[in-house]
Amino acid sequence: MAPAVAARREGDTFQARIFWLHAARLLDPESGVSRVGFETGPKSFDDIRIVYDPARCPNDHYGKPVLREHIQCKWHVTQGSYGYADLVDPAFINASTRSFLQRAHDARRVVDSEGIGAPEDVGIRFKLLSNWMLERTDPLRDLVSQRSGGIRRETLYSSRTDNSRFGRVRKAWREHLKIKEDELWCLVQTLAFGYDPRSLDELRGDLDERFARVGLRRIPANENAFPYDDLVFQWLAQGRRDFDRAGFREACAREGLLRLAQNGRSVYGVKSFEHDFDRLEEHCHAVLDLVPAFDARYIRQDDDWRSTLYPRLKTFLSDAARAEPRLRLALDAHTTLAFAAGSIIHVKAGREVELEQRVAGRQIWAADDQAPDPAWPTFATETVELRPDQPDIAVALGLTHDVAADMRAYVEASLPQVGRLLILRPTTGPGSQSVACGRHAAGLADAATDAVRTAKAGGSALVHLFIAAPNAFTFFLGQRRTALGTVRLYEFDFDGHGNRSYMPALTLPLPPAPSADDPASASSAMRR
């Protein structure tokens, strides 16, 4: 292979591996990186683009937020160094007409024209990343901050004359660019320089460690082929240049690259509605997207609960349970689906389950997450004999708010086969803080199961469930579905776009296809 071709291939490999070092951080929920681009951005600074979350972005050496970096990667096959004069020499970057400094000035103008403010005012940096170091005796070495790689302007302008050590730098750059002193002052604030002395093999080793932490497939060191190097160029050929967290995770999933993170846990998400600012795809290993079956929170076709949604949920969770001895689930889903999920990964499934619960942010709840506390509220039980000659039982579980009145109104109007109402409320009263943690939720699920079995008195009555509770509790209750017998779940029109009442959703275990006179096949009030 000709030396020039080898150098080009190694340069591409260097660029690809630097991309993966930054892009892998998109899989780390604690990382400040929000987007990473490849071959996108201003000309000559389009090798890699990194966009940071303003709330978690790094600061430069002045403490000013760095919101975006445009990186030019410069790989050399031999060791070397460079200084301030090389930045005005096109040959330094293998160009014939435009120098690094001219290209940086052009890039600054392009970004400035985007209308988001001057780059130096909005924290945008143009960075040269090379395996060559700054020349030890060159003035540029004393100008570059070892913290951020940016230029210390107070040092550059520490003398007034062009004949001083740093004055010669200002003069050379100013005359080369044909700009005035104030323009140079603004430009140098946007420049940064990075030195990466690692060999390509060392970069691969560091990638292996990062991939292990974030859950990307690792390539054994004894294998010569490293498919990540080529993959990013394949994506480029397909027009995929820019990735946010969700897009990058999806792209990696399609390539079969996602694995369990070291010291972490794969998260499996189920969604039937979407959160505006916290999409499951941004942090989940895999997501079952049931949103298209709904119009906002209202199911489009009543029979989908039984014919489509439950089978898809069962397949998804069964596959996850086979892959993981301890599962972590994120359920941005209707109460019915949370219960159904528990019925699939039931208490005898041999799997421990953690749940992401949205309580003052995102918390991890599990049946063993805390020691029991006798101060936790239990259930206050109320029984109402409505129609003593009817076999079914309707159960109101009002943990977050009291559902008893709405349940009774619906039962009296629509469920003549219900003879008894069982109302379970927290002893401290319903509210968002009525369930303390995962262990508390699991204990309440046990208590509710015992109360229902007592109310049934060994009978085989159908249990109608009306639940207002954290999804973690509903999941744990679903895990005990066998002890409850046959149950039917109901969804309430909380948003007021239907009839402000309940309608049946799913009966478990699945019955035969419902007939026309089955209450479960009635027109859904969950439809607009």
Side-chain angles (χ1 to χ4, degrees), residues 38-40 232-243:
F38 186 80
E39 292 287 345
T40 184
V232 67
F233 287 98
Q234 294 293 330
W235 284 344
L236 177 63
Q238 297 166 2
R240 292 190 284 177
R241 301 167 175 262
D242 190 57
F243 300 89

Side-chain angles (χ1 to χ4, degrees), residues 3-18 47 72-80 82 91-94 128-132 194-204:
V5 175
R8 175 58 188 270
R9 286 179 63 90
E10 290 185 1
D12 288 345
T13 299
F14 178 66
Q15 180 186 353
R17 294 183 184 181
I18 295 299
D47 285 353
Q72 180 182 5
C73 296
K74 181 62 178 173
W75 172 262
H76 299 271
V77 295
T78 58
Q79 295 183 352
Y82 66 98
F92 172 64
I93 54 173
N94 297 326
L128 175 65
L129 179 64
S130 176
N131 62 339
W132 274 15
Y195 170 52
D196 196 327
R198 291 172 291 185
S199 69
L200 295 178
D201 286 344
E202 288 172 329
L203 278 170
R204 176 172 168 173

Side-chain angles (χ1 to χ4, degrees), residues 67-298:
L67 300 178
R68 200 162 89 195
E69 286 186 287
H70 296 273
I71 300 176
Q72 180 182 5
C73 296
K74 181 62 178 173
W75 172 262
H76 299 271
V77 295
T78 58
Q79 295 183 352
S81 60
Y82 66 98
Y84 80 92
D86 293 297
L87 303 185
V88 302
D89 181 5
F92 172 64
I93 54 173
N94 297 326
S96 57
T97 57
R98 307 289 289 175
S99 68
F100 167 84
L101 211 57
Q102 287 173 318
R103 295 186 180 200
H105 189 44
D106 293 342
R108 182 187 177 280
R109 287 174 171 171
V110 169
V111 173
D112 197 14
S113 69
E114 294 177 356
I116 60 174
E120 63 272 14
D121 295 328
V122 295
I124 295 177
R125 296 291 177 264
F126 304 104
K127 184 174 184 177
L128 175 65
L129 179 64
S130 176
N131 62 339
W132 274 15
M133 65 187 304
L134 292 170
E135 173 61 46
R136 295 184 182 277
T137 59
D138 193 88
L140 183 58
R141 184 180 179 88
D142 296 328
L143 292 172
V144 174
S145 166
Q146 294 300 306
R147 173 182 172 181
S148 69
I151 291 180
R152 296 194 293 262
R153 289 193 299 181
E154 73 280 6
T155 302
L156 179 61
Y157 284 87
S158 60
S159 59
R160 295 186 178 183
T161 68
D162 289 343
N163 294 325
S164 64
R165 186 166 184 257
F166 298 121
R168 288 193 292 272
V169 176
R170 299 196 307 269
K171 182 175 185 294
W173 288 0
R174 188 178 63 242
E175 291 181 350
H176 175 67
L177 295 174
K178 299 180 174 60
I179 60 175
K180 296 181 179 179
E181 199 72 63
D182 58 345
E183 290 182 86
L184 181 64
W185 169 269
C186 294
L187 173 63
V188 297
Q189 184 175 330
T190 66
L191 299 180
F193 300 88
Y195 170 52
D196 196 327
R198 291 172 291 185
S199 69
L200 295 178
D201 286 344
E202 288 172 329
L203 278 170
R204 176 172 168 173
D206 289 347
L207 279 174
D208 184 67
E209 293 181 6
R210 181 159 296 182
F211 289 173
R213 289 197 300 271
V214 302
L216 281 171
R217 180 164 66 92
R218 302 169 68 182
I219 309 299
N222 65 305
E223 295 184 12
N224 290 324
F226 191 66
Y228 289 95
D229 292 339
D230 180 63
L231 178 57
V232 67
F233 287 98
Q234 294 293 330
W235 284 344
L236 177 63
Q238 297 166 2
R240 292 190 284 177
R241 301 167 175 262
D242 190 57
F243 300 89
D244 60 9
R245 288 182 178 271
F248 183 70
R249 179 175 290 277
E250 180 183 2
C252 291
R254 291 172 68 90
E255 301 290 341
L257 300 178
L258 296 182
R259 296 292 186 271
L260 180 65
Q262 190 179 75
N263 300 322
R265 200 173 305 283
S266 291
V267 183
Y268 295 86
V270 177
K271 66 178 184 179
S272 56
F273 48 79
E274 193 86 76
H275 280 273
D276 292 337
F277 306 110
D278 187 13
R279 301 178 64 241
L280 293 186
E281 286 84 355
E282 294 180 358
H283 71 281
C284 288
H285 170 79
V287 176
L288 175 62
D289 184 3
L290 302 177
V291 173
F294 296 85
D295 180 8
R297 296 209 179 197
Y298 305 88

Side-chain angles (χ1 to χ4, degrees), residues 178-461:
K178 299 180 174 60
I179 60 175
K180 296 181 179 179
E181 199 72 63
D182 58 345
E183 290 182 86
L184 181 64
W185 169 269
C186 294
L187 173 63
V188 297
Q189 184 175 330
T190 66
L191 299 180
F193 300 88
Y195 170 52
D196 196 327
R198 291 172 291 185
S199 69
L200 295 178
D201 286 344
E202 288 172 329
L203 278 170
R204 176 172 168 173
D206 289 347
L207 279 174
D208 184 67
E209 293 181 6
R210 181 159 296 182
F211 289 173
R213 289 197 300 271
V214 302
L216 281 171
R217 180 164 66 92
R218 302 169 68 182
I219 309 299
N222 65 305
E223 295 184 12
N224 290 324
F226 191 66
Y228 289 95
D229 292 339
D230 180 63
L231 178 57
V232 67
F233 287 98
Q234 294 293 330
W235 284 344
L236 177 63
Q238 297 166 2
R240 292 190 284 177
R241 301 167 175 262
D242 190 57
F243 300 89
D244 60 9
R245 288 182 178 271
F248 183 70
R249 179 175 290 277
E250 180 183 2
C252 291
R254 291 172 68 90
E255 301 290 341
L257 300 178
L258 296 182
R259 296 292 186 271
L260 180 65
Q262 190 179 75
N263 300 322
R265 200 173 305 283
S266 291
V267 183
Y268 295 86
V270 177
K271 66 178 184 179
S272 56
F273 48 79
E274 193 86 76
H275 280 273
D276 292 337
F277 306 110
D278 187 13
R279 301 178 64 241
L280 293 186
E281 286 84 355
E282 294 180 358
H283 71 281
C284 288
H285 170 79
V287 176
L288 175 62
D289 184 3
L290 302 177
V291 173
F294 296 85
D295 180 8
R297 296 209 179 197
Y298 305 88
I299 196 163
R300 297 180 186 275
Q301 299 293 329
D302 304 321
D303 190 53
D304 282 352
W305 290 112
R306 179 190 65 83
S307 63
T308 303
L309 301 186
Y310 182 80
R312 290 182 62 191
L313 181 67
K314 185 174 183 179
T315 298
F316 178 78
L317 292 180
S318 297
D319 289 345
R322 278 189 286 268
E324 307 286 351
R326 186 177 178 100
L327 288 167
R328 179 172 293 178
L329 301 181
L331 303 176
D332 284 352
H334 291 68
T335 295
T336 297
L337 295 172
F339 185 94
S343 73
I344 294 166
I345 311 177
H346 49 79
V347 289
K348 295 184 179 181
R351 291 294 183 267
E352 298 176 333
V353 181
E354 299 174 344
L355 295 115
E356 292 190 357
Q357 181 62 51
R358 294 182 183 274
V359 179
R362 186 190 300 136
Q363 298 178 10
I364 305 302
W365 283 14
D368 58 357
D369 57 1
Q370 293 188 29
D373 187 341
W376 289 340
T378 57
F379 277 125
T381 303
E382 178 185 356
T383 302
V384 178
E385 297 294 339
L386 194 62
R387 306 179 185 101
D389 59 333
Q390 296 300 316
D392 289 0
I393 298 174
V395 182
L397 285 155
L399 286 168
T400 54
H401 57 273
D402 197 339
V403 300
D406 287 324
M407 179 194 74
R408 181 164 185 167
Y410 176 75
V411 168
E412 290 182 339
S414 305
L415 296 177
Q417 72 274 34
V418 171
R420 179 179 298 176
L421 307 182
L422 176 63
I423 301 169
L424 301 176
R425 302 182 179 94
T427 51
T428 55
S432 60
Q433 304 300 315
S434 64
V435 185
C437 62
R439 185 181 287 274
H440 186 203
L444 290 171
D446 280 331
T449 301
D450 290 342
V452 172
R453 295 178 67 182
T454 299
K456 289 176 64 176
S460 58

